[in-house]
Amino acid sequence: MAAAAAIIVLSSAAGTPAVAAEAPVTVAGPISEPGGFSRATCPAGTQLVGGGYDARHTVNGVNNVTDGLVVFAPEPLKANTWTAQMLSGQVRAFAMCAKGSGPAPRVVLGPASDRGGYSKATCPEGTQLISGGYASTPATNGLGQYVDAVDANTPTNDNSWLAKMTIGTAQAVALCGS
């Protein structure tokens, strides 16, 4: 497997998270197995406020990328954890953690979209959007190669996170603080 150029992307919504205003700490998860998950968990005394990834895409024999990110979001099953997964390549998740007290931010899942449609995860009343991401089922060709793109992975002005794939399905994931 050849490695493509690696990138790091951090997602964070505009606004003030419900955590202290000290500089965040970045925690790196392990490099995943091909097609596997990488999870980065914030240490005790800190709260998840965002995340990122470092990707090692798979490429074909003529150096075209045939892979893509399918999960890039706060982990709904493990508090204070950011998760990333590539379709067939390797990835390392990063968690951005800020000192804070009180309850850990809550993860809210939007509904799965129709093919090529939008998914929206809205924070409940009394909470504020901190950041977000998505999980997707991208379109692939007959060889199992990624032939899709993420069209939207963004905060909105109504305390929500929005996600969309060009062809496949997406599920928005919002990280909400009190």
Side-chain angles (χ1 to χ4, degrees):
M1 169 178 52
I7 59 173
I8 296 177
V9 178
L10 293 178
S11 278
S12 184
T16 305
V19 293
E22 291 184 31
V25 173
T26 302
V27 176
I31 296 173
S32 72
E33 295 295 323
F37 289 93
S38 176
R39 292 177 175 90
T41 301
C42 292
T46 64
Q47 295 181 353
L48 182 68
V49 295
Y53 67 93
D54 178 2
R56 289 150 183 83
H57 295 86
T58 56
V59 295
N60 64 16
V62 291
N63 241 7
N64 293 326
V65 174
T66 58
D67 192 13
L69 198 64
V70 295
V71 176
F72 175 65
E75 173 64 53
L77 302 176
K78 187 171 182 191
N80 282 329
T81 300
W82 197 271
T83 301
Q85 179 189 21
M86 298 293 294
L87 181 66
S88 58
Q90 295 177 291
V91 67
R92 179 189 307 247
F94 291 86
M96 193 167 60
C97 312
K99 291 194 186 245
S101 59
R106 177 178 170 187
V107 176
V108 176
L109 302 174
S113 72
D114 293 330
R115 289 178 61 80
Y118 287 91
S119 173
K120 187 177 187 181
T122 301
C123 291
E125 191 170 325
T127 65
Q128 179 181 0
L129 180 67
I130 297 171
S131 67
Y134 66 92
S136 67
T137 304
T140 57
N141 64 16
L143 301 173
Q145 298 171 337
Y146 191 94
V147 294
D148 210 342
V150 178
D151 292 336
N153 180 34
T154 184
T156 66
N157 288 326
D158 65 352
N159 208 29
S160 301
W161 198 268
L162 191 68
K164 179 186 181 297
M165 298 295 291
T166 301
I167 304 167
T169 63
Q171 182 175 27
V173 182
L175 185 64
C176 310
S178 44

